[in-house]
Amino acid sequence: MINCKSLLGGIARQIKVRGCDIKILNTPADFRDALLQHSSGVKFRSRISCLYVGDKENERIIMDNLVGSVKKYDTDVSMIIDRYRGLRDGGLIFKDLKKVSPIHLYQTPFMPRFNYKKPSLLGEFLGVHHIKYYLFDNTVIISGANLSDLYFGCRQDRYMVIKSKSFADYICYIHNLHATSSKLWDPNSYTRSHWSTETLRVAKNVTERFSCNTPIDNDETRYLGPKDGDTFIYPLFQFPSFSVHQIDDAIELLLSRSTSNDNITCSSGYFNPTPRMIEALAKTKAHVTVIIPSNEANGFYNGSFLKGYVPDMYNLSAIRTLKSCPNLNVVEYNKENWSYHAKGLWSDNITIVGSSNFNRRSSMRDTEFCIAIITECEQLSKSLADEKHRLLSASNSLTTSYRAFSRFTLPFMSNFL
């Protein structure tokens, strides 16, 4: 395998942690339980970023836990959600939390001149805040799942719990920076757009600061974390509005530098690669397997109107990609009554986990965050291998049938999928 440390170190900051302090969660119930456990009794800080927060019992308990921590310990709590999707239901889930902590709304700069009296489906269509992490004191949960009951049931994703002060410090740092390019939620002034020529300039400068591999402060070394750390984390960002594509860069570099002895497994809940990614898949010497949802496991299955054709469009995209890439194998996750939302990459001692689906939407419209992890810890390596095999064992060969209408809708919809 290529020297991944050198490769990733050229595009992202390196943070050392101990492999024994990283835990792989297997199920949505594990994810739910971890959120409930770690949100209870938070002593000094919490940072949450996700597309939206649900409004069922578990989500209310988590919000109540955070409110209780603020009142009892004066905990520093901050949250970033998408301006449009995050308030689709009016934000009732935040009625108590917004009184004691800031809630920031991120609006895509693709629509800087538009104001809406209520959350807009058009705004969601053009681009959303898709970054997910859940920080409680010195513990960070990285996932592609939202803080919603939908993701606590039969919806498979990936989940990683990292106990590390250095990594938590970094997440807190980038969260605070990102909040400066978001709008503090005030229901009375929701219709006022916060984007202007000046705020776009500030946001671009902020984005460049936390997407580069320069030190956070002048007196800090570039390599953060304990000296005895055996595992290395590389934070990767995607901000299409400001031409930041670290996730795409990392994937492309891994594919281009791999050899015929390498086996790479990728996963995407919505597989629709860009021409750049298709070219990298076609040229790589590695043997690549991509896990995607079957039509029935796609989150848009049985959707109304045009949404009902979305699974067929993703299936058609996978078929066309497969024809262009000789070393590619595509399989479908097909567990009865489950949907599939897992995203990431596995290869030898490296994994990538986070919010990106490695598709056109992730590359061209949404904000994304992943971490690449290289580990020398045997226990963590085994857990990652088990995670991959568990997903592959629930997958079958790609179905090559789709509704003909998808051939006409895919060209128009491709850049939004």
Side-chain angles (χ1 to χ4, degrees):
M1 185 66 184
I2 53 176
N3 186 343
C4 293
K5 290 182 187 177
S6 174
L7 185 154
L8 293 173
I11 61 175
R13 188 188 319 277
Q14 183 190 83
I15 302 172
K16 278 187 181 182
V17 299
R18 299 180 182 89
C20 60
D21 291 330
I22 298 179
K23 181 179 180 181
I24 308 299
L25 305 180
N26 297 328
T27 68
D30 293 337
F31 175 56
R32 175 202 63 206
D33 293 345
L35 288 172
L36 290 169
Q37 174 191 344
H38 291 290
S39 66
S40 178
V42 182
K43 296 295 193 300
F44 62 96
R45 64 181 175 185
S46 177
R47 298 289 185 271
I48 292 176
S49 174
C50 56
L51 178 63
Y52 70 99
V53 176
D55 61 355
K56 300 295 191 296
E57 180 181 1
N58 287 309
E59 298 94 298
R60 287 195 291 269
I61 292 173
I62 293 169
M63 294 300 105
D64 289 344
N65 285 345
L66 294 176
V67 172
S69 292
V70 173
K71 292 180 177 179
K72 184 175 182 179
Y73 303 109
D74 196 26
T75 305
D76 180 12
V77 176
S78 176
M79 182 178 294
I80 302 176
I81 58 173
D82 183 68
R83 181 187 181 192
Y84 300 115
R85 180 62 182 93
L87 296 181
R88 192 190 286 178
D89 63 351
L92 295 177
I93 190 69
F94 305 117
K95 66 182 180 66
D96 294 325
L97 184 62
K98 69 183 180 182
K99 298 175 183 177
V100 297
S101 68
I103 298 174
H104 301 275
L105 308 178
Y106 186 86
Q107 172 192 331
T108 172
F110 286 120
M111 300 180 65
R113 305 299 179 190
F114 290 82
N115 299 314
Y116 290 93
K117 293 182 179 179
K118 59 182 180 179
S120 163
L121 291 177
L122 176 61
E124 294 179 39
F125 186 65
L126 292 181
V128 296
H129 171 77
H130 203 239
I131 293 173
K132 288 115 176 182
Y133 52 74
Y134 308 92
L135 182 155
F136 308 102
D137 290 335
N138 289 330
T139 297
V140 183
I141 302 175
I142 299 293
S143 179
N146 287 297
L147 205 167
S148 168
D149 196 65
L150 175 65
Y151 294 83
F152 301 158
C154 299
R155 188 169 178 80
Q156 184 64 56
D157 213 302
R158 296 184 68 195
Y159 329 91
M160 188 174 290
V161 181
I162 303 171
K163 295 182 178 181
S164 163
K165 182 182 183 302
S166 57
F167 183 56
D169 286 346
Y170 180 75
I171 292 295
C172 194
Y173 169 78
I174 61 103
H175 179 101
N176 294 344
L177 281 178
H178 196 188
T180 65
S181 59
S182 303
K183 182 179 181 182
L184 189 64
W185 181 31
D186 178 359
N188 297 321
S189 62
Y190 176 76
T191 60
R192 296 169 54 191
S193 173
H194 67 291
W195 288 115
S196 64
T197 302
E198 177 61 19
T199 54
L200 283 169
R201 184 189 65 79
V202 171
K204 187 176 187 300
N205 290 338
V206 165
T207 303
E208 289 173 348
R209 284 178 65 191
F210 67 74
S211 65
C212 68
N213 57 8
T214 54
I216 293 176
D217 297 310
N218 292 331
D219 58 349
E220 280 199 45
T221 61
R222 175 178 168 189
Y223 300 95
L224 307 176
K227 292 183 178 180
D228 62 341
D230 56 5
T231 299
F232 307 87
I233 296 177
Y234 301 85
L236 303 170
F237 295 90
Q238 205 103 303
F239 285 86
S241 303
F242 306 116
S243 301
V244 175
H245 297 94
Q246 286 183 311
I247 298 171
D248 287 351
D249 293 343
I251 299 292
E252 184 178 18
L253 281 171
L254 287 171
L255 290 171
S256 64
R257 304 293 177 84
S258 297
T259 71
S260 58
N261 294 323
D262 294 321
N263 292 288
I264 297 175
T265 300
C266 296
S267 178
S268 172
Y270 305 105
F271 184 64
N272 180 38
T274 62
R276 173 188 177 187
M277 192 64 66
I278 292 175
E279 182 180 5
L281 287 168
K283 291 182 176 180
T284 186
K285 296 179 182 179
H287 302 279
V288 181
T289 297
V290 177
I291 310 172
I292 66 172
S294 66
N295 275 16
E296 294 78 9
N298 189 290
F300 290 94
Y301 183 65
N302 280 337
S304 58
F305 302 108
L306 188 60
K307 286 184 178 180
Y309 286 92
V310 169
D312 294 276
M313 285 187 272
Y314 281 117
N315 183 263
L316 177 57
S317 176
I319 293 170
R320 291 179 175 177
T321 303
L322 190 60
K323 291 179 179 179
S324 304
C325 306
N327 290 338
L328 181 65
N329 178 39
V330 180
V331 297
E332 294 180 341
Y333 183 91
N334 191 17
K335 188 174 180 180
E336 188 175 2
N337 297 323
W338 279 63
S339 60
Y340 189 71
H341 198 249
K343 328 164 199 311
L345 176 147
W346 301 261
S347 180
D348 293 339
N349 65 339
I350 182 172
T351 190
I352 296 177
V353 59
S355 67
S356 177
N357 281 293
F358 312 139
N359 59 14
R360 297 195 186 203
R361 186 173 182 90
S362 293
S363 296
M364 301 169 64
R365 301 201 169 275
D366 298 342
T367 60
E368 306 283 6
F369 175 67
C370 290
I371 57 173
I373 294 181
I374 300 173
T375 185
E376 299 166 3
C377 173
E378 292 185 7
Q379 176 185 341
L380 180 57
S381 294
K382 183 179 184 304
S383 295
L384 290 169
D386 290 344
E387 177 191 41
K388 177 185 70 174
H389 293 144
R390 189 165 49 251
L391 298 177
L392 285 171
S393 66
S395 303
N396 303 315
S397 299
L398 176 67
T399 302
T400 56
S401 61
Y402 53 87
R403 287 179 284 185
F405 184 63
S406 302
R407 287 184 295 174
F408 303 100
T409 55
L410 183 60
F412 169 72
M413 292 291 293
S414 184
N415 289 337
F416 300 93
L417 295 174

